Amino acid sequence: MSFIRLDHLRKTFGANTVVHDFDLGIERGAFLSLLGPSGCGKTTALRMLAGFEKASAGRILIDGTDVTDLPPAKRNVGMVFQAYALFPNMTVAENIAFGLKVAGKPASGIAGRVTEMLALIKLPDLGKRYPYQLSGGQQQRVALARALAVHPQVLLLDEPLSALDAKIRVSLREEIRAVQRALGITTVFVTHDQEEALSISDTIVVMNDGRVEQVGTPFDIYNRPKSRFVANFVGTLSTFNARIAESGKDILLLDGQPVIAPDLAARPAGTTLGIALRPEAFSLGESGPNRLSGTIGEVTFLGSIVRLRIQLAEQTFSMDTFNQPSQRPPAVGDKISVSFAPTDMLLLE
């Protein structure tokens, strides 16, 4: 039985439905991310779980208890917001202690818990500072400690890293994941950043237009997308139109160049299919079973990766190759041959 059960949740605002039939189970101790573009309903789903939005239909169960109609304070969840929401007139220690005081915990127990939380977020000596004396990353750690101080059953994180710069985001998301693993707390994390979701999640729920597009591990979401939306939203993808060359054979013509594709035997000749390939699927040279020849139209240096945009007769695609400091990267206008495996192709009907 799932630790959290979101049972056919729906949320409407007037005539506008922003979450459609959201049905999901979350295992105890899992780190689950709701991933999707702005306006897809992921934050609304999280707020229904927290109790800040009332579900228009469906049920919410936590550890077997129906909490659908309970207010946030009765749900035993901790929430970290995008904007930190720290009390500016309270010290770091007082912010962390706030929920414990509201719950009527004894002063001695509060002091010990605050010390424990400061150590957990690696700010043991900053308890007497005020929020304005902290960096953005430190403030977000304090917000995390405040949410965890009350021993919640569930931790909810609503895009907590979006206001931070790129390097701090990477560091802090790793710290959040380490804390989550250490405590074993069931966590739901909302983000529009695919790299964040892929790097720290046990399970990812990809949402679009208020609906769940796919639920799976990061590996499956990236490598085995079940819809064109997921394939395009998660990671960089090149899509092509290709035509079946001959009935009974697994051969496609891609801008006139033959490539092998799996499971085409039952489809008639002349059928047009969409196919997709990740940039890392390609290798320089003609060593693989599938080969394409084209002209480099663009070269983008991304540090450890050099991304090439390659022009075929009518279509283009992206290819990633590792930066080799001792070698000159290919240049715009160079003729190039690349290869890839049939199993790397995604067929898009």
Side-chain angles (χ1 to χ4, degrees):
M1 181 178 176
S2 300
F3 181 67
I4 299 175
R5 181 71 205 167
L6 306 180
D7 185 16
H8 299 284
L9 286 187
R10 180 166 55 87
K11 180 62 182 178
T12 59
F13 293 100
N16 184 30
T17 301
V18 295
V19 175
H20 303 258
D21 194 34
F22 193 94
D23 194 52
L24 181 69
I26 305 172
E27 297 305 311
R28 186 188 298 271
F31 193 112
L32 179 137
S33 290
L34 302 178
L35 173 66
S38 297
C40 72
K42 57 188 185 295
T43 292
T44 301
L46 189 80
R47 288 176 63 84
M48 284 192 286
L49 177 54
F52 296 123
E53 295 286 354
K54 183 172 176 59
S56 303
R59 296 189 308 155
I60 301 168
L61 293 94
I62 299 177
D63 199 16
T65 301
D66 190 333
V67 301
T68 310
D69 296 319
L70 293 182
K74 299 291 186 181
R75 296 195 184 197
N76 196 18
V77 301
M79 187 150 180
V80 179
F81 300 92
Q82 178 179 339
Y84 315 145
L86 298 178
F87 299 111
N89 60 328
M90 294 184 183
T91 65
V92 166
E94 289 168 341
N95 267 280
I96 295 173
F98 179 78
L100 297 167
K101 287 183 177 179
V102 170
K105 301 297 182 183
S108 59
I110 291 175
R113 184 61 174 166
V114 168
T115 299
E116 183 183 344
M117 288 294 99
L118 286 170
L120 183 69
I121 61 171
K122 301 179 182 178
L123 300 175
D125 301 321
L126 301 187
K128 294 182 180 180
R129 291 193 184 182
Y130 287 88
Y132 75 89
Q133 296 174 307
L134 304 178
S135 68
Q138 289 171 331
Q139 289 184 53
Q140 194 59 285
R141 287 181 193 160
V142 174
L144 176 63
R146 184 177 61 184
L148 292 171
V150 294
H151 298 282
Q153 287 181 295
V154 181
L155 177 64
L156 306 178
L157 302 154
D158 187 12
E159 303 211 45
L161 308 179
S162 59
L164 304 174
D165 66 52
K167 196 167 185 179
I168 293 175
R169 287 180 71 157
V170 172
S171 173
L172 193 50
R173 78 188 184 207
E174 291 172 353
E175 290 183 27
I176 289 173
R177 183 56 160 144
V179 168
Q180 186 269 337
R181 281 183 173 140
L183 298 178
I185 187 170
T186 308
T187 300
V188 182
F189 180 89
V190 163
T191 182
H192 63 272
D193 187 316
Q194 55 186 276
E195 182 180 306
E196 273 182 7
L198 291 169
S199 65
I200 62 176
S201 306
D202 296 314
T203 302
I204 296 174
V205 179
V206 182
M207 295 185 65
N208 181 36
D209 195 25
R211 294 179 171 85
V212 174
E213 288 275 342
Q214 185 173 346
V215 180
T217 65
F219 180 89
D220 285 338
I221 292 291
Y222 186 85
N223 291 301
R224 302 186 183 108
K226 292 184 178 179
S227 72
R228 191 179 287 260
F229 173 82
V230 175
N232 281 285
F233 185 76
V234 181
T236 301
L237 197 72
S238 295
T239 57
F240 308 86
N241 288 322
R243 183 171 51 85
I244 295 177
E246 185 178 342
S247 297
K249 294 187 177 180
D250 292 340
I251 304 294
L252 290 171
L253 290 177
L254 201 166
D255 272 9
Q257 300 187 52
V259 295
I260 301 168
D263 303 324
L264 296 180
R267 304 170 195 248
T271 301
T272 299
L273 294 175
I275 64 172
L277 285 156
R278 300 287 186 192
E280 65 270 21
F282 298 97
S283 299
L284 290 172
E286 299 183 349
S287 57
N290 282 336
R291 298 155 193 165
L292 291 173
S293 297
T295 303
I296 296 177
E298 186 178 343
V299 179
T300 305
F301 183 73
L302 301 174
S304 60
I305 295 294
V306 178
R307 179 159 294 168
L308 309 178
R309 191 72 180 165
I310 300 172
Q311 177 72 52
L312 303 177
E314 296 181 359
Q315 304 180 82
T316 63
F317 65 93
S318 292
M319 171 190 173
D320 285 349
T321 182
F322 283 112
N323 173 39
Q324 302 286 345
S326 60
Q327 299 179 14
R328 182 188 72 87
V332 172
D334 285 354
K335 301 294 183 182
I336 191 171
S337 293
V338 301
S339 60
F340 61 93
T343 52
D344 287 330
M345 298 172 63
L346 303 172
L347 295 182
L348 307 174
E349 297 292 346

